[in-house]
């Protein structure tokens, strides 16, 4: 149940981010530019995104790795589907987490935004 809720939240964040430009939300460029700051703040211990960053890194490695849970060579369609699900989750997670980080950055007075 919890995995389903997290997956639904990631898909919702992805849909919101893709339509945000038309509704005045944060643009994709701003979110992607926040990634290095988010990683730096997490490694310094200022931001609590360590586990989420680790999961995003693991999903990235899974997608780019030549070793898959379901290899495309044997079961072509299912091999592509698991990669598509991983990429979709990753995109939604990055968008949701950068949105959360930007809000944290905005409300945290001791952080200097450059």
């Amino acid at each position: 149940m919890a995995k389903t809720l997290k997956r639904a939240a990631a898909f919702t964040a992805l849909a919101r981010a893709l339509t945000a430009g038309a509704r005045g939300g944060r643009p994709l460029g701003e979110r992607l530019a926040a990634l290095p700051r988010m990683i730096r703040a997490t490694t310094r211990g200022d931001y609590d995104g360590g586990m989420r960053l680790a999961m995003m890194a693991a999903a990235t490695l899974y997608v780019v790795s030549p070793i898959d849970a379901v290899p495309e060579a044997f079961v072509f369609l299912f091999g592509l589907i698991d990669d598509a699900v991983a990429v979709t989750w990753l995109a939604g997670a990055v968008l949701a987490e950068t949105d959360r980080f930007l809000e944290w950055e905005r409300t945290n007075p001791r952080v200097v935004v450059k």
Side-chain angles (χ1 to χ4, degrees), residues 1 11 15 17 25 33-34 37 40 42 52 69 73-74 77 82-84 86 90 100 103 110-111:
M1 178 79 172
F11 286 128
R37 293 193 316 270
R40 234 183 345 264
T42 301
R52 288 178 291 277
F74 299 117
L77 183 62
D82 78 318
D83 286 344
L90 179 61
R100 183 175 168 266
E103 184 62 27
R110 63 188 181 100
V111 174

Side-chain angles (χ1 to χ4, degrees), residues 52-108:
R52 288 178 291 277
L53 282 176
M55 289 179 64
M56 287 186 267
T60 302
L61 288 174
Y62 178 79
V63 170
V64 299
S65 170
I67 300 170
D68 247 355
V70 181
E72 284 82 7
F74 299 117
V75 216
F76 182 71
L77 183 62
F78 292 113
L80 292 178
I81 289 173
D82 78 318
D83 286 344
V85 168
V87 167
T88 304
W89 177 86
L90 179 61
V94 167
L95 293 173
E97 191 59 27
T98 53
D99 192 42
R100 183 175 168 266
F101 174 75
L102 288 167
E103 184 62 27
W104 173 83
E105 210 173 39
R106 188 182 67 77
T107 59
N108 196 338

